């Protein structure tokens, strides 16, 4: 590009601060992000952008920090319709006596459509641009996310028992194979395999899941070592800790994601490192259900890729990933007994680049560099509760909440403009949500 060359592009975003994530730990000031189509064309100082680019629109965000869109790597989106329904209960009581019976009564394709849209509205409003879902009727959530324009890893459920979505493992695997075939080449939807947990899925379905993953490249996501009770029961039944059993069955691997991991010892960490894969930390759900504390800094120090998720709104009770980052950083310091554990920049990396790595899309997502997909957000730091600003990264993790997110783009398309959703009819959605509330209460 010569000194006199002016390049045309679609959108210029002027940011007071910018956290590109790559390189790590950097906060830049007075930067411009240039978008062309679905990609980032350039990230450069605003004075340089004045000389090099002419854009169709310019968005001035002079009190904002711009960063990559957040990646929420675990949730059950449709369960947003169960938010607050069965609180202050231990996990197995919560599941066996409340959630599973409610799912049997109320879950349907329409329930999943409305619940997933409610979750997507909340996630978009609070900075998430990519999410992972593990729930019934995954074909419905996949289509809804695609229509709205959100990126989503859609994990079809695999469990030994019959559910509203199928009669058992054979039917789940057959439907899941079709889901993978339909979406595997899509830029927005990433189909994956979701065996529920070691205590709900027997050996043969797990082996079939591994075979399907190896054949198609689809990731496996599984709840693993979520509670002490799970580990104790596994030892009684098989004499093996769940991680060891998963290793023997081939479930552990570079394309696998392990959710929760609150109960781990040195042998578990060694097996995980040998096999590879990714940890999905869900601190607020773990805290609320008293499931335990994931030793995040220990896992990071061992070389594991640690990502973050909210879990479902029925056990959290929100899908605000910024709140999750604060909880993750706080809990990590207490568990490690080290105030330097999980710094603000490391927490942001968990929700951006680390999530992209777990999805196998680190070359396209997770940081703001030229050539990557234009998935990014802006957070308004002008409110009194965010003033004064000494370190924007610290504010995002320790002072911010997701409602300060003002703008987001996915694939270069605006999804949130000045706090308003552009692709979801919120008033219509709220009518349907209220109808569900009345139906469930009755």
């Amino acid at each position: 590009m010569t000194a006199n060359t002016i390049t045309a592009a679609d959108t210029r975003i002027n940011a007071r601060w910018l956290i590109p994530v790559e390189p790590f730990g950097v906060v830049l000031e007075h930067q411009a992000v240039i978008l062309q189509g679905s990609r980032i064309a350039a990230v450069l100082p605003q004075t340089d952008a004045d000389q090099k680019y002419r854009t169709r629109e310019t968005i001035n965000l002079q009190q904002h920090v711009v960063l990559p869109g957040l990646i929420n790597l675990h949730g059950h989106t449709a369960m947003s319709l169960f938010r607050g329904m069965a609180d202050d209960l231990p996990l197995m009581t919560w599941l066996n006596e409340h959630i599973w019976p409610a799912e049997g009564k109320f879950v349907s394709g329409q329930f999943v459509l409305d619940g997933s849209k409610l979750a997507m509205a909340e996630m978009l409003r609070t900075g998430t641009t990519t999410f992972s879902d593990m729930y019934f009727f995954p074909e419905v959530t996949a289509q809804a996310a695609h229509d709205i324009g959100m990126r989503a890893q859609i994990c079809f459920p695999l469990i030994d028992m019959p559910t509203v979505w199928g009669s058992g493992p054979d039917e789940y695997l057959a439907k899941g194979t079709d889901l993978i075939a339909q979406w595997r080449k899509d830029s927005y939807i990433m189909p994956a395999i979701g065996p529920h947990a070691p205590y709900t899925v027997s050996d043969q379905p797990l082996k079939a899941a591994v075979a399907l993953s190896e054949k198609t490249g689809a990731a496996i996501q599984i709840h693993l070592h979520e509670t002490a009770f799970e580990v104790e029961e596994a030892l009684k039944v098989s004499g093996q800790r769940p991680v060891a059993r998963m290793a023997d069955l081939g479930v552990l691997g570079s394309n696998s994601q392990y959710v929760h991991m609150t109960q781990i010892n040195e042998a578990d960490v060694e097996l995980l490192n040998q096999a590879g894969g990714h940890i999905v930390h869900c601190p607020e759900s773990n805290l609320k259900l008293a499931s335990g504390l994931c030793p995040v800094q220990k896992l990071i120090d061992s070389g594991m890729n640690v990502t973050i998720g909210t879990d479902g709104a029925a056990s959290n009770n929100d899908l605000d990933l910024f709140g999750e980052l604060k909880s993750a950083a706080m809990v990590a310091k207490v568990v490690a007994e080290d105030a330097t554990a999980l710094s603000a920049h490391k927490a942001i990396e968990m929700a951006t680049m680390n999530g992209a790595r777990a999805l196998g899309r680190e070359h396209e997502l997770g940081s703001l560099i030229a050539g990557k997909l234009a998935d990014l957000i802006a957070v308004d730091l002008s409110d009194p509760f965010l003033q004064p600003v000494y370190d924007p990264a610290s504010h995002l993790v320790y002072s911010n909440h997701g409602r300060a997110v003002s703008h987001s783009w996915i694939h270069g398309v605006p999804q949130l403009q000045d706090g308003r959703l552009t692709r979801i009819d919120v008033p219509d959605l709220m009518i349907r949500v209220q109808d569900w509330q009345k139906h469930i209460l009755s």
Side-chain angles (χ1 to χ4, degrees):
M1 182 183 292
T2 66
N4 296 323
T5 300
I6 300 293
T7 300
D10 291 331
T11 302
R12 170 175 169 170
I13 303 163
N14 291 326
R16 173 64 178 84
W17 299 278
L18 185 137
I19 299 177
V21 178
E22 286 186 298
F24 174 78
V26 171
V27 178
L28 303 174
E29 296 191 52
H30 304 296
Q31 296 289 298
V33 183
I34 309 298
L35 308 185
Q36 178 60 36
S38 63
R39 300 276 171 174
I40 298 170
V43 179
L44 70 174
Q46 291 173 22
T47 52
D48 292 349
D50 293 341
Q51 306 300 316
K52 295 180 179 180
Y53 287 94
R54 183 181 67 254
T55 56
R56 180 174 49 82
E57 67 171 342
T58 297
I59 300 168
N60 291 307
L61 301 174
Q62 298 301 346
Q63 300 185 88
H64 300 65
V65 56
V66 170
L67 68 156
L70 305 186
I71 298 173
N72 182 348
L73 212 63
H74 180 67
H76 312 283
T77 56
M79 293 183 78
S80 290
L81 290 174
F82 291 145
R83 188 196 319 261
M85 193 184 74
D87 284 341
D88 303 322
L89 297 168
L91 174 64
M92 298 315 295
T93 303
W94 180 78
L95 278 174
N96 289 316
E97 298 181 20
H98 297 273
I99 296 302
W100 285 343
E103 287 175 336
K105 290 179 181 178
F106 301 114
V107 173
S108 63
Q110 189 62 49
F111 177 99
V112 169
L113 177 62
D114 294 338
S116 294
K117 284 188 176 181
L118 177 63
M120 283 185 266
E122 181 182 358
M123 287 189 283
L124 286 169
R125 185 63 186 80
T126 54
T128 292
T129 55
T130 299
F131 68 94
S132 182
D133 179 63
M134 180 194 290
Y135 207 59
F136 308 111
F137 299 97
E139 68 279 4
V140 173
T141 304
Q143 191 63 58
H146 189 271
D147 291 346
I148 289 169
M150 268 192 101
R151 295 195 206 281
Q153 175 179 261
I154 304 294
C155 307
F156 73 84
L158 179 60
I159 193 167
D160 282 349
M161 65 189 73
T163 67
V164 293
W165 193 59
S167 59
D170 290 344
E171 187 173 358
Y172 304 140
L173 287 162
K175 288 183 173 182
T177 300
D178 291 342
L179 184 82
I180 292 169
Q182 179 180 357
W183 293 106
R184 65 187 297 187
K185 295 183 180 179
D186 192 81
S187 181
Y188 289 94
I189 305 304
M190 296 155 274
I193 307 163
H196 175 259
Y199 59 88
T200 54
V201 190
S202 52
D203 286 1
Q204 282 308 120
L206 286 169
K207 289 178 181 177
V210 172
L212 183 60
S213 175
E214 291 173 347
K215 179 180 178 181
T216 64
I220 293 174
Q221 185 176 104
I222 184 170
H223 301 95
L224 187 60
H225 283 228
E226 185 172 2
T227 65
F229 178 78
E230 172 194 340
V231 177
E232 292 163 3
E233 287 300 298
L235 287 168
K236 289 178 185 177
V237 171
S238 67
Q240 279 187 305
R241 294 171 66 82
V243 160
R245 177 175 161 236
M246 295 303 102
D248 287 349
L249 293 171
V251 175
L252 304 189
S254 61
N255 204 22
S256 296
Q257 303 159 9
Y258 321 119
V259 184
H260 296 301
M261 300 303 292
T262 69
Q263 312 289 326
I264 53 178
N265 61 22
E266 295 297 336
D268 298 327
V269 173
E270 185 176 349
L271 283 173
L272 292 167
N273 271 290
Q274 289 173 358
H278 314 273
I279 306 296
V280 187
H281 181 35
C282 301
E284 292 186 357
S285 179
N286 293 342
L287 289 167
K288 183 167 181 280
L289 294 170
S291 297
L293 303 174
C294 177
V296 168
Q297 191 61 48
K298 181 177 185 178
L299 288 164
I300 292 172
D301 292 343
S302 77
M304 293 294 296
N305 182 46
V306 182
T307 70
I308 194 160
T310 57
D311 212 344
S315 65
N316 186 307
N317 292 11
D318 64 67
L319 305 180
D320 179 353
L321 207 54
F322 278 111
E324 212 73 30
L325 291 182
K326 180 176 182 178
S327 296
M330 299 292 196
V331 169
K333 297 174 194 312
V334 172
V335 172
E337 298 182 342
D338 179 1
T340 69
L342 196 61
S343 68
H345 279 285
K346 288 300 290 184
I348 292 168
E349 186 182 44
M350 285 173 64
T352 53
M353 271 304 296
N354 289 6
R357 292 186 185 103
L359 296 171
R361 299 190 68 175
E362 63 271 28
H363 61 295
E364 292 185 300
L365 303 172
S367 63
L368 300 184
I369 58 176
K372 285 201 172 187
L373 289 167
D375 290 17
L376 62 158
I377 62 174
V379 184
D380 186 350
L381 301 185
S382 66
D383 280 351
F385 64 83
L386 291 169
Q387 291 291 320
V389 180
Y390 299 112
D391 179 355
S394 173
H395 269 24
L396 289 178
V397 175
Y398 298 116
S399 301
N400 180 43
H401 58 74
R403 292 176 190 174
V405 176
S406 61
H407 295 73
S408 72
W409 295 260
I410 301 175
H411 215 71
V413 176
Q415 287 280 354
L416 189 70
Q417 293 180 313
D418 293 316
R420 296 187 303 273
L421 294 167
T422 65
R423 303 288 294 271
I424 297 176
D425 184 342
V426 175
D428 177 70
L429 175 60
M430 290 304 98
I431 291 171
R432 286 180 281 130
V433 169
Q434 290 162 12
D435 287 344
W436 278 111
Q437 181 193 25
K438 293 174 185 176
H439 180 51
I440 291 169
L441 284 173
S442 68

